[in-house]
Amino acid sequence: MRKASQVTAPARAADPALESLFDVHEATLPNGLQVRLLANHQAPVVSLYTFFQVGSRNERPGITGISHLFEHMMFNGAKKYGPKMFDKTLESSGGRSNAYTSNDMTVYYDDFAADSLETVLDLESDRMRSLRISQDTLTSEREVVKEERRVRVDNDIAGIMDEELGTLVYKAHAYRWPVIGWMADIENITREDCQEYFRTYYAPNNAVLYIVGDIDPKKTLALVRKYYGNIPRGPAPAKVLNAEPEQKGERRALVRHPAQSPALMLGFRGPSAREDDTFTLDVAQYVLTKGEGSRLVRSLVYEQKLCVSIMLDWSWRIDPGTILFYLELKPDSDPQKVEAALYAELEKLARDGITDRELQKAQNNLRADHMRELATNNGRAHALGHYEALLGDWRRLLTLPNAYSSITNDMVKAAAAKYFAPERRSVVTLLPAPSEA
């Protein structure tokens, strides 16, 4: 591949159409809790998101997986609303709730009728203030998470390979371990570990509330102050140091596991979410693998018939993330030949770039996906939190359409040459092994 030239994206303005939709009211309580309120009176419903600034990157060896385990713990009752009362109270009003944990954040959300707003704030503030952390609850949820790990990782080919790839791509950074954690760590997390974790990371000064829907921002803020205002601050969380050394060359691992056919998983060290190349790689991702007519699907699946599927996952992260390719091969495919075909396509991208039609199609798809995300209260609340957590300011979501429209062919070529360089890649090859049965 040729050496990448330096191509910088121009400064971007907010999209006027989006700007008119996001009249966000902001406040910070004395205890550090940040609040973002957005009224939308189209229907009498509301979405509430709580973003806690903690994920697997905040963990350490010995307690990996505690962020995800704690997500489960949060639904087991608190001082006012006991075990099973959270969901029972919410669902009795027609509401629903869920949560997820990632490398960088832990997120809880509720969708409910507007007249249940005060009840939901009471529910959420109760578990932030006084979560019930008992040994029985920990033991029960630990077993649930262990079974989840067995299903999603230990007995799943993609899960096994992804875990192996993480240890190749990262040597020092906390991204090297899986979000669900190592099994031995899950088994040994103590109640004391959970209590310390809760006091530090689930304190109001480490959280942001996003409330979107049929609300009066002034009255809603008064309710937030009423229910959250007396929750004490926690200690300042330890800063996560990005001490990952520069990768000097290709890294490889071979996995043998009972399977019907070989598989490949490749990771290229990418940028952090706040770097301009992040948006350029979004465009490249759409060109390479979005849809049946995308470059890699057309070439490797339909024309060369080397694999049955190919997926590219480029997920934004606070610190430099991973551009991940996953290829499910045909039973008679040679992994080395498939690798060579993939590298040829990536080199072609770096050398020749993309066509005007490919660029326009990718930009159209990215804009459409972004607009679809913002079509609901839930989507808007999540977008506010997601982009603020990763980009530092929720207002950055207003600039995304212009960010994508400013991407050029030269920028795509430069990014491909830089990030798909051989010395940045890590490769996991899975070869079928005889079944133990």
Side-chain angles (χ1 to χ4, degrees):
M1 292 185 178
R2 64 179 178 83
K3 185 177 181 180
S5 59
Q6 186 66 32
V7 180
T8 304
R12 301 162 187 118
D15 185 296
L18 289 182
E19 207 167 17
S20 64
L21 297 176
F22 283 85
D23 181 18
V24 177
H25 297 253
E26 304 181 57
T28 302
L29 274 55
N31 59 10
L33 178 68
Q34 297 180 70
V35 186
R36 312 285 185 255
L37 307 173
L38 176 60
N40 176 19
H41 303 296
Q42 290 183 322
V45 292
V46 177
S47 291
L48 184 153
Y49 269 80
T50 306
F51 274 72
F52 290 97
Q53 299 165 40
V54 60
S56 62
R57 76 189 280 271
N58 301 91
E59 298 166 357
R60 65 179 187 274
I63 60 166
T64 66
I66 192 171
S67 300
H68 174 257
L69 173 62
F70 218 84
E71 176 200 319
H72 287 249
M73 298 282 285
M74 283 288 282
F75 289 91
N76 281 281
K79 184 176 181 179
K80 183 175 181 179
Y81 296 92
K84 300 183 180 180
M85 287 301 296
F86 187 98
D87 284 335
K88 183 177 180 180
T89 304
L90 182 63
E91 291 170 5
S92 67
S93 300
R96 67 186 183 101
S97 68
N98 212 328
Y100 71 85
T101 307
S102 73
N103 301 96
D104 298 314
M105 64 195 80
T106 307
V107 180
Y108 299 83
Y109 70 86
D110 312 291
D111 295 320
F112 50 92
D115 59 7
S116 299
L117 174 61
E118 188 166 1
T119 298
V120 175
L121 290 174
D122 193 17
L123 284 166
E124 288 289 0
S125 62
D126 182 42
R127 62 178 179 177
M128 183 188 286
R129 177 187 296 104
S130 53
L131 182 69
R132 178 175 176 267
I133 305 176
S134 68
Q135 186 59 51
D136 287 345
T137 298
L138 173 58
T139 299
S140 174
E141 295 304 334
R142 189 200 319 275
E143 292 306 313
V144 172
V145 172
K146 286 167 62 178
E147 183 61 23
E148 186 178 342
R149 183 189 155 84
R150 292 186 191 103
V151 171
R152 296 186 178 184
V153 179
D154 299 338
N155 293 296
D156 182 80
I157 290 174
I160 292 170
M161 297 177 73
D162 183 61
E163 200 165 81
E164 193 70 31
L165 184 68
T167 64
L168 290 181
V169 175
Y170 300 101
K171 299 300 182 185
H173 197 283
Y175 288 158
R176 70 184 183 274
W177 53 72
V179 172
I180 202 168
W182 303 119
M183 183 66 88
D185 287 353
I186 298 170
E187 292 173 339
N188 286 283
I189 291 170
T190 66
R191 180 170 175 265
E192 290 69 31
D193 291 330
C194 292
Q195 289 174 324
E196 179 184 357
Y197 180 93
F198 178 71
R199 286 192 297 268
T200 302
Y201 295 107
Y202 275 69
N205 51 297
N206 199 52
V208 189
L209 291 188
Y210 300 89
I211 306 176
V212 178
D214 190 18
I215 62 171
D216 178 312
K218 185 177 180 179
K219 293 179 180 179
T220 301
L221 181 58
L223 288 174
V224 171
R225 293 186 188 278
K226 174 184 176 181
Y227 287 101
Y228 288 85
N230 64 352
I231 302 176
R233 295 176 68 99
K239 183 179 179 180
V240 177
L241 178 65
N242 179 20
E244 188 63 34
E246 181 184 357
Q247 185 171 339
K248 301 294 186 179
E250 182 186 81
R251 300 168 181 171
R252 285 186 169 270
L254 176 64
V255 174
R256 291 191 176 274
H257 186 78
Q260 297 297 317
S261 59
L264 286 167
M265 188 172 285
L266 302 92
F268 293 84
R269 187 85 62 82
S272 65
R274 299 188 189 186
E275 297 178 55
D276 280 335
D277 283 337
T278 290
F279 308 109
T280 306
L281 288 170
D282 284 345
V283 170
Q285 175 178 218
Y286 272 64
V287 170
L288 290 172
T289 58
K290 180 73 170 182
E292 297 297 294
S294 59
R295 284 196 177 192
L296 295 182
V297 173
R298 187 176 66 247
S299 175
L300 274 64
V301 175
Y302 292 116
E303 294 175 0
Q304 301 185 61
K305 296 182 174 57
L306 295 172
C307 55
V308 295
S309 71
I310 181 167
M311 179 270 291
L312 193 169
D313 177 36
W314 165 233
S315 300
W316 298 6
R317 295 187 189 179
I318 290 176
D319 295 320
T322 304
I323 307 162
L324 185 149
F325 292 87
Y326 177 51
L327 297 86
E328 295 179 298
L329 277 55
K330 298 176 65 177
D332 58 350
S333 289
D334 178 359
Q336 290 185 332
K337 183 178 179 181
V338 179
E339 265 193 76
L342 173 62
Y343 300 151
E345 289 293 337
L346 298 181
E347 289 169 358
K348 180 181 177 182
L349 181 67
R351 182 183 65 247
D352 303 328
I354 58 180
T355 66
D356 291 342
R357 182 179 182 278
E358 286 177 318
L359 177 60
Q360 187 64 59
K361 182 180 178 182
Q363 291 169 332
N364 290 345
N365 274 303
L366 284 161
R367 181 181 176 86
D369 286 348
H370 186 51
M371 293 303 183
R372 276 191 287 268
E373 176 186 26
L374 304 179
T376 65
N377 291 332
N378 187 292
R380 291 181 190 182
H382 181 264
L384 287 168
H386 181 75
Y387 294 116
E388 182 161 14
L390 293 177
L391 301 180
D393 188 337
W394 64 263
R395 294 168 184 81
R396 293 290 302 278
L397 76 87
L398 307 177
T399 70
L400 290 188
N402 288 333
Y404 291 127
S405 65
S406 70
I407 304 300
T408 66
N409 184 36
D410 284 342
M411 291 166 64
V412 173
K413 289 196 291 184
K418 177 180 179 180
Y419 293 103
F420 297 142
E423 62 270 17
R424 298 179 75 101
R425 74 186 175 220
S426 299
V427 185
V428 177
T429 305
L430 180 134
L431 296 180
S435 171
E436 294 180 2

